[in-house]
């Protein structure tokens, strides 16, 4: 079986070596995080630190620990010019790591933190953009999600899985727990054109756009010919819900809160959740939309900007967009 190392070594393009080093670093951090998660209840690593972050959320011990693990692994590559993390209010810019093929790495060390204390699935999401000519003074210079040259995630479930794309297909690897080595188990993933499952937090229904409400109502309405009703699955961790959607088809949605229609509010973060997952799914033949535009066209104006996402099978996402237009 092909290892992640061999797969990355076969990468082409002028930044392939640096890109390979950074994806390997994410895998190395993933091995450590998987181990820490498995022991967390035994070594006092569950629960919160007692601090509250800028978003007013309680900081979990494992969020901080995993952030440090990812930063250390990326730093060791010498290519991590700028780091943008969900767990760091400020970006971390290291000019000495920007020479040649330096990268902006955006990451969420533990996605789905609310699952941590209940032994649920969580993940780590990452996105790489070239730092060439980038002005660290402003996120606008990052451009849209189309500037990403690689993106992926590690999922800590019954098995630890790494899925990544460097712009030519989406590939899945499974970690051998005995050695920490990742093997290619899901080469060139192709998402089904249409699915049978949708994932969304329906508790938020009163805040949705009318098109979103009508679309979910449509998915729930029986009609044999079009394969309805769809089933609902929602894990509370974007990584787990997107992974299921990637393999089985259907939709994962976190739409905007439209209580003030003039100010739609997404929940998930554009740079290290929404844009990377959009690239991963598009590279597998899927689509990702905010409901009204392609996710990868959205430009960041803030590092911790939030955005809506409807991601999954191409026919299902296209239909969702149609409901938003009605
Ligand atoms: P969490 O807040 O637990 O870290 O990253 C945000 C995220 O999890 C996603 O992983 C998940 O899909 C979503 O939020 C869950 O939010 P709700 O609890 O509002 O459904």
């Amino acid at each position: 079986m092909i290892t992640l190392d061999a797969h990355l070594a076969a990468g082409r393009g002028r930044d392939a070596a640096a890109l390979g080093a950074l994806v390997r670093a994410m895998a190395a951090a993933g091995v450590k995080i998987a181990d820490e998660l498995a022991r967390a209840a035994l070594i006092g690593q569950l629960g919160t630190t007692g601090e509250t972050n800028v978003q007013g959320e309680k900081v979990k011990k494992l969020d901080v620990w995993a952030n440090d693990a990812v930063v250390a692994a990326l730093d060791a590559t010498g290519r991590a010019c700028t780091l943008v993390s969900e767990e760091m209010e400020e970006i971390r810019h290291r000019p000495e790591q920007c020479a040649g093929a330096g990268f902006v790495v955006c990451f969420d060390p533990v996605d789905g933190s609310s699952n941590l204390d209940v032994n649920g699935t969580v993940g780590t999401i990452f996105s790489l953009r070239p730092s060439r000519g980038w002005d660290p003074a402003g996120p606008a210079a990052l451009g849209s999600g189309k500037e990403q040259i690689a993106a992926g995630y590690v999922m800590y479930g019954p098995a630890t899985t790494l899925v990544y794309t460097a712009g030519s297909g989406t590939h899945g690897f499974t970690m051998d727990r005995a050695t920490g080595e990742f093997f290619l188990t899901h080469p060139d993933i192709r998402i089904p054109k249409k699915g049978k499952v949708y994932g969304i937090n329906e508790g938020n229904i009163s805040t949705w756009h009318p098109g979103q409400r009508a679309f979910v109502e449509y998915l729930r309405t029986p009609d044999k010919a079009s394969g309805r009703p769809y089933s609902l699955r929602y894990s509370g961790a974007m990584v787990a819900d997107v992974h299921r959607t990637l393999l089985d088809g259907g939709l994962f949605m976190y739409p905007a809160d439209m209580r003030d229609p003039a100010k739609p509010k997404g929940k998930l973060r554009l740079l290290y959740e929404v844009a990377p997952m959009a690239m991963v799914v598009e590279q597998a033949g899927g689509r990702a939309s905010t409901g009204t535009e392609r996710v990868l066209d959205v430009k960041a104006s803030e590092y911790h900007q939030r955005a809506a996402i409807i991601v999954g099978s191409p026919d299902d996402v296209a239909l969702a967009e149609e409901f938003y237009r009605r």
Side-chain angles (χ1 to χ4, degrees), residues 7-8 22 28 35-36 42 61 69 72 112 123 136 153 208 219 244 257 272 299 319:
H7 199 264
L8 290 165
L22 289 165
D35 191 45
E36 194 76 0
L42 303 172
K61 290 183 199 170
Y153 57 85
W208 296 346
L219 296 175
R244 182 197 59 249
D257 176 334
Y272 40 79
K299 287 187 179 154
L319 191 58

Side-chain angles (χ1 to χ4, degrees), residues 86 108 111-114 201 234 236-238 252 254 267-268 273:
E86 163 142 54
D108 181 0
D111 171 70
S113 316
S114 62
N201 182 342
Y234 190 73
M238 183 192 202
F252 168 73
Y254 212 112
K267 172 181 175 180
L268 304 183
E273 293 181 314

Side-chain angles (χ1 to χ4, degrees), residues 10-325:
R12 298 274 167 266
R14 66 176 170 165
D15 294 338
L19 187 146
L22 289 165
V23 175
R24 258 183 232 112
M26 293 307 306
V31 172
K32 289 202 168 133
I33 295 169
D35 191 45
E36 194 76 0
L37 288 169
R39 296 186 306 141
L42 303 172
I43 57 173
Q45 274 285 53
L46 295 180
T48 59
T49 61
E51 277 155 35
T52 305
N53 66 18
V54 274
Q55 283 89 43
E57 299 152 352
K58 289 194 170 137
V59 178
K60 300 226 166 171
K61 290 183 199 170
L62 280 164
D63 281 329
V64 177
W65 189 93
N67 188 66
D68 292 347
V70 174
V71 170
L74 290 171
D75 263 349
T77 67
R79 310 280 196 172
C81 174
T82 305
L83 303 183
V84 180
S85 164
E86 163 142 54
E87 297 307 323
M88 304 192 298
E89 192 187 343
E90 304 292 336
I91 61 162
R92 215 280 328 256
H93 188 61
R94 289 268 158 84
E96 72 278 9
Q97 297 213 15
C98 301
F103 287 83
V104 180
V105 187
C106 302
F107 61 94
D108 181 0
V110 180
D111 171 70
S113 316
S114 62
N115 278 358
L116 280 172
D117 296 344
V118 296
N119 194 22
T121 298
V122 294
T124 300
I125 308 175
F126 60 93
S127 156
L128 308 180
R129 298 173 190 235
S131 64
R132 268 187 301 273
W134 182 59
D135 172 5
L142 281 172
S144 73
K146 291 199 289 274
E147 303 295 319
Q148 296 175 108
I149 55 167
Y153 57 85
V154 184
M155 183 173 99
Y156 312 102
T160 296
T161 302
L162 183 146
V163 173
Y164 90 97
T165 176
S168 52
T170 292
H171 311 284
F173 299 79
T174 302
M175 187 184 84
D176 176 346
R177 277 190 198 275
T179 61
E181 183 101 65
F182 284 88
F183 291 94
L184 181 62
T185 46
H186 297 73
D188 202 10
I189 298 169
R190 302 310 294 167
I191 191 169
K193 221 167 148 293
K194 178 182 172 323
K196 297 189 206 100
V197 173
Y198 70 102
I200 193 167
N201 182 342
E202 286 199 4
N204 294 331
I205 192 164
S206 66
T207 71
W208 296 346
H209 182 283
Q212 181 68 49
R213 235 177 286 175
F215 179 54
V216 168
E217 194 48 48
Y218 168 86
L219 296 175
R220 293 152 53 131
T221 306
D223 175 54
K224 221 171 178 181
S226 55
R228 290 177 288 142
Y230 279 35
S231 293
L232 169 64
R233 299 274 186 281
Y234 190 73
S235 77
M238 183 192 202
V239 166
D241 288 318
V242 169
H243 188 70
R244 182 197 59 249
T245 304
L246 193 61
L247 298 185
D248 285 351
L251 297 142
F252 168 73
M253 302 178 273
Y254 212 112
D257 176 334
M258 298 293 290
R259 273 174 292 186
D260 178 354
K263 287 188 197 147
K265 276 193 212 141
K267 172 181 175 180
L268 304 183
R269 309 303 176 127
L270 178 61
L271 291 179
Y272 40 79
E273 293 181 314
V274 171
M277 290 310 212
M279 183 179 182
V280 163
V281 173
E282 280 202 5
Q283 282 292 320
R287 287 179 68 159
S289 169
T290 62
T292 52
E293 70 176 311
R294 184 182 172 204
V295 162
L296 293 185
D297 285 336
V298 179
K299 287 187 179 154
S301 53
E302 287 170 36
Y303 292 112
H304 299 290
Q305 185 168 325
R306 299 172 191 265
I309 185 167
I310 298 173
V311 62
S313 293
D315 288 3
D316 290 323
V317 176
L319 191 58
E321 287 180 316
E322 210 180 297
F323 273 85
Y324 269 76
R325 282 195 293 270

